[in-house]
Amino acid sequence: MNSAGMALPAASRRAGHRVVLGSLCVTLLIVATFAMTCGAMHLSAEDVFGALLRRMGGKPAQADDAIVLTLRLPRVLMAALVGAALACSGAVMQGMFRNPLVEPGLIGVSSGSALGAIGVIVLGGGFGAGLLGSFGVTIAAFAGGLLTTALVYAIGRRRPDAATLLLAGVAINAISMAGIGVLTYMASERQLRDLSLWTLGSLGGTDWIRLVAVAPWILLSLLWLPIHARALNALLLGEREASLLGYHTERLQRLLIALTALATSAAVATCGVISFVGLLVPHAIRMMWGPDHRLLLPASALGGAILLIGADTVARTVVAPAELPIGIITALLGGPFFLWLLMRTRTSGVRA
Amino acid sequence: MAMLLIFALAPLARAGDTPQRVVALGGDITETIYALDAQAKLVGVDSTSEWPAAAHQLPNVGYVRQLNAEGILALHPTQVIATHDAGPATVLEQLRQAGVTLDLLPPSRSPQDVMAKIDDIGHLLNSDAQARQLNAKLVQSYTALQSRVAAMPHHPRVVFLLSAGAGNFLAAGHDTAADRAIALAGGSNAIQAYSGYKPLSAEALVAAAPDVLVVMSERADGVGDIGQVLALPGMLQTPAGQRKHVIFVDGQALLGFGPRNADSELSLQGKFAATLPP
């Protein structure tokens, strides 16, 4: 049960946490910087940083500055936010349900968002386009994710335990998938392509407006969730044990579900379904640095951001000038890395 | 002579301008640009631009509904010509903000639409003369088609199969490009119960009683040759199946309603006429 880190005195453990988070921050900066210099358009590092400096210094923009400032920068920031949201929510869900197979999608967020988005793609037509413009799909997906989570929670409340919540999530997921099936049947060939691409995820439509619209929901959750790291540590012992330690488990669960639903719905609504990040990033972090949520939550957020910025860079460069859906890349990049980690930790005897 | 003079002077008139760099988004638009012999200006196409084969040599910016702005901008276009369903909308917006001239052409489902599209593209590429020539040829073809269709004693009932698998056929209902293409070639779509392309059960196929089956040859890998089409459940219980009246068509040429539509309609009409009951 006790990893090496747990046995250390509190002061040096905190120092260890700082080293891990610090190095993850540095990695994030390096990956983000590298991502800024990659793309279909060949721009040198000077072009990219010149564009940023000119913008900050208020100097007149040069020819390709718009590529850096209106396309790449918001996209890298969006990848960081969405990756952090998915991975941190995954870490919280796995801790709260004490189940390593849980991911945010299991309480209905992804399928609810997908139902909302696909509903607008198939039925929206003139209505969605006229009233909400290109935001119709995003808004419907956000609302769909929050609604299904609320429904799962309302059902789970009647028998407040983690297993009931999970089973309610499974049932709601099944119903959402049936709804998506009906819409798929009704869809035209063109709409079929739209909705199948949406379910593979993409950061392609990112602009500053979308970024600003999504950021508050994700940042709220990212800043609020780590405050409950100790409570999540206590929940690992069991719900009864946590309440004996003075935590109001039901209220805690309600808050954690609301925050993860906010963050993941916002992420899924803007970028489509991006699998793998929420499930496996927290595992990778746990295998490397142990299960203490005080480290796990911020480290997962940073790890998710790094993975998604990297994946998006690959997505928009390998088949340039076209681009691949990012869900394919997260699985292709992350899957082998995770397997490698799994084999390595097994042979060295470290437990996740 | 006047024509020659225009051709000779045209480059001079625009000598000061930067050369046009065009990205075509949509198979029908790429076809039209080649038909106007303006492909020298083309610097990129989308993945639905499958004809002519030369278009495969150009950079491909991806599927027309899932474009990305940087990939298109990397080709430094001065002009993007897109089919009506190019997207996503945010990417089109990003292109406009980057200062690229973007023209979205309306959907086309009729000879008039085809010729209007050719006129539009010809105008955007300063190839008005070529567009007029091409349209003059198309008017002849469509007029010939009209008179041949008028001379048909019977109009066969047609089912248009997009693909087939697991006992279900994806068949074209009313309000589809296939429905319009069938009508133009003198057939009548036997599927009027729904709009769009939907799965059709074997039983519904028998009930539709088509005289002719039209199958997209692009999807032949899913459907197979004529023997495999006839082996599909319910097929032999239809008049088309019993008389082996199965026609394979180049879907993009016919349904794209581009410059190749007239010829494919003429050939389809010929096959409809040949499959009439004796």
Side-chain angles (χ1 to χ4, degrees):
Chain A
M1 176 68 205
N2 282 341
S3 71
M6 296 290 252
L8 290 171
S12 82
R13 192 166 62 229
R14 274 200 298 275
H17 286 185
R18 250 178 259 140
V19 170
V20 168
L21 292 179
S23 45
L24 280 173
C25 282
V26 172
T27 314
L28 177 61
L29 273 178
I30 294 171
V31 171
T33 310
F34 176 69
M36 285 298 294
T37 61
C38 297
M41 191 81 110
H42 290 290
L43 298 176
S44 69
E46 288 134 82
D47 291 335
V48 171
F49 295 110
L52 294 177
L53 290 174
R54 279 189 287 279
R55 182 79 186 87
M56 285 188 284
K59 293 190 190 121
Q62 290 183 6
D64 288 332
D65 284 10
I67 303 279
V68 176
L69 298 172
T70 66
L71 294 179
R72 276 191 205 166
L73 185 57
R75 194 163 170 169
V76 169
L77 293 176
M78 181 72 98
L81 272 182
V82 168
L86 294 174
C88 188
S89 303
V92 169
M93 286 280 145
Q94 288 169 7
M96 188 166 72
F97 291 117
R98 278 171 293 142
N99 185 332
L101 295 178
V102 173
E103 50 138 359
L106 224 76
I107 52 163
V109 185
S110 305
S111 64
S113 294
L115 185 60
I118 291 169
V120 169
I121 289 173
V122 176
L123 306 173
F127 170 74
L131 197 68
L132 307 164
S134 52
F135 281 97
V137 172
T138 310
I139 292 168
F142 190 48
L146 293 185
L147 274 176
T148 39
T149 313
L151 200 57
V152 167
Y153 188 77
I155 293 163
R157 235 162 77 119
R158 292 171 156 263
R159 274 178 51 196
D161 63 81
T164 310
L165 271 181
L166 277 188
L167 287 174
V170 169
I172 297 285
N173 269 339
I175 297 168
S176 302
M177 292 314 285
I180 292 169
V182 171
L183 290 168
T184 307
Y185 171 78
M186 294 166 63
S188 73
E189 233 208 331
R190 207 197 76 201
Q191 292 164 338
L192 275 179
R193 287 299 294 259
D194 279 1
L195 67 88
S196 70
L197 286 168
W198 191 86
T199 56
L200 287 173
S202 170
L203 293 165
T206 305
D207 53 20
W208 285 108
I209 299 172
R210 263 154 218 275
L211 185 69
V212 168
V214 171
W217 313 107
I218 292 182
L219 287 177
L220 174 76
S221 304
L222 284 182
L223 296 176
W224 199 335
L225 285 171
I227 294 172
H228 300 285
R230 273 173 189 282
L232 275 166
N233 282 347
L235 265 183
L236 279 186
L237 303 170
E239 280 165 54
R240 234 159 49 93
E241 289 76 359
S243 44
L244 287 177
L245 284 171
Y247 294 103
H248 194 309
T249 52
E250 211 187 320
R251 195 191 301 160
L252 180 67
Q253 278 178 345
R254 200 178 314 167
L255 178 69
L256 293 178
I257 288 180
L259 287 176
T260 49
L262 264 187
T264 6
S265 301
V268 174
T270 35
C271 306
V273 182
I274 300 174
S275 57
F276 183 86
V277 181
L279 181 65
L280 295 185
V281 170
H283 280 287
I285 301 290
R286 220 178 278 127
M287 281 183 207
M288 288 188 281
W289 296 299
D292 183 351
H293 284 89
R294 282 171 295 176
L295 176 65
L296 183 61
L297 298 189
S300 292
L302 290 169
I306 293 168
L307 174 65
L308 216 62
I309 293 176
D312 187 52
T313 308
V314 175
R316 61 200 170 81
T317 49
V318 277
V319 294
E323 70 179 43
L324 286 171
I326 193 168
I328 299 172
I329 310 289
T330 50
L332 271 182
L333 276 184
F337 169 71
F338 184 74
L339 282 179
W340 172 77
L341 202 62
L342 200 63
M343 312 279 274
R344 207 192 57 137
T345 43
R346 272 290 148 78
T347 50
S348 69
V350 178
R351 272 189 289 172
Chain B
M1 187 60 206
M3 210 65 156
L4 274 176
L5 217 80
I6 290 169
F7 281 141
L9 290 178
L12 285 178
R14 292 194 309 275
D17 299 349
T18 48
Q20 271 186 307
R21 295 176 60 84
V22 180
V23 171
L25 305 175
D28 53 333
I29 291 171
T30 304
E31 285 182 18
T32 306
I33 292 175
Y34 275 89
L36 294 174
D37 202 23
Q39 62 271 27
K41 292 173 178 171
L42 205 52
V43 294
V45 296
D46 74 317
S47 65
T48 65
S49 300
E50 292 175 340
W51 189 91
H56 293 288
Q57 305 302 314
L58 291 165
N60 186 325
V61 298
Y63 179 61
V64 67
R65 305 273 319 148
Q66 191 66 26
L67 300 162
N68 74 95
E70 190 176 329
I72 295 172
L73 291 176
L75 303 171
H76 302 287
T78 57
Q79 168 91 51
V80 173
I81 308 177
T83 170
H84 65 283
D85 59 359
T90 48
V91 169
L92 302 182
E93 194 46 46
Q94 284 167 344
L95 289 177
R96 283 197 195 96
Q97 279 169 4
V100 176
T101 313
L102 174 71
D103 284 277
L104 274 184
L105 299 186
S108 57
R109 294 274 178 89
S110 70
Q112 288 72 29
D113 295 341
V114 172
M115 290 188 275
K117 176 158 58 185
I118 290 168
D119 266 338
D120 285 344
I121 296 175
H123 188 66
L124 291 172
L125 299 184
N126 297 307
S127 304
D128 298 279
Q130 287 91 331
R132 271 194 300 275
Q133 278 182 337
L134 180 56
N135 277 340
K137 267 202 302 201
L138 290 184
V139 167
Q140 284 182 354
S141 303
Y142 281 123
T143 315
L145 178 69
Q146 217 174 9
S147 53
R148 285 189 210 173
V149 167
M152 284 165 82
H154 301 284
H155 298 282
R157 295 170 57 79
V158 180
V159 167
F160 190 105
L161 292 187
L162 211 59
S163 64
N168 268 342
F169 326 108
L170 208 57
H174 65 83
D175 206 23
T176 57
D179 182 76
R180 304 293 292 273
I182 292 167
L184 209 52
S188 80
N189 189 355
I191 311 291
Q192 292 297 329
Y194 57 77
S195 67
Y197 300 90
K198 299 259 161 67
L200 186 71
S201 69
E203 211 168 296
L205 177 76
V206 175
D211 303 311
V212 182
L213 279 169
V214 178
V215 184
M216 258 170 79
S217 56
E218 287 99 321
R219 312 286 178 85
D221 48 348
V223 184
D225 55 14
I226 190 163
Q228 279 166 287
V229 173
L230 293 176
L232 291 170
M235 208 55 83
L236 288 175
Q237 281 77 52
T238 65
Q242 283 155 11
R243 294 176 205 152
K244 297 190 168 61
H245 287 168
V246 180
I247 300 170
F248 288 90
V249 292
D250 179 339
Q252 172 66 22
L254 185 72
L255 305 184
F257 280 89
R260 294 189 293 156
N261 171 263
D263 283 342
S264 6
E265 294 284 4
L266 278 168
S267 118
L268 187 61
Q269 188 278 333
K271 287 171 184 160
F272 281 170
T275 54
L276 288 180

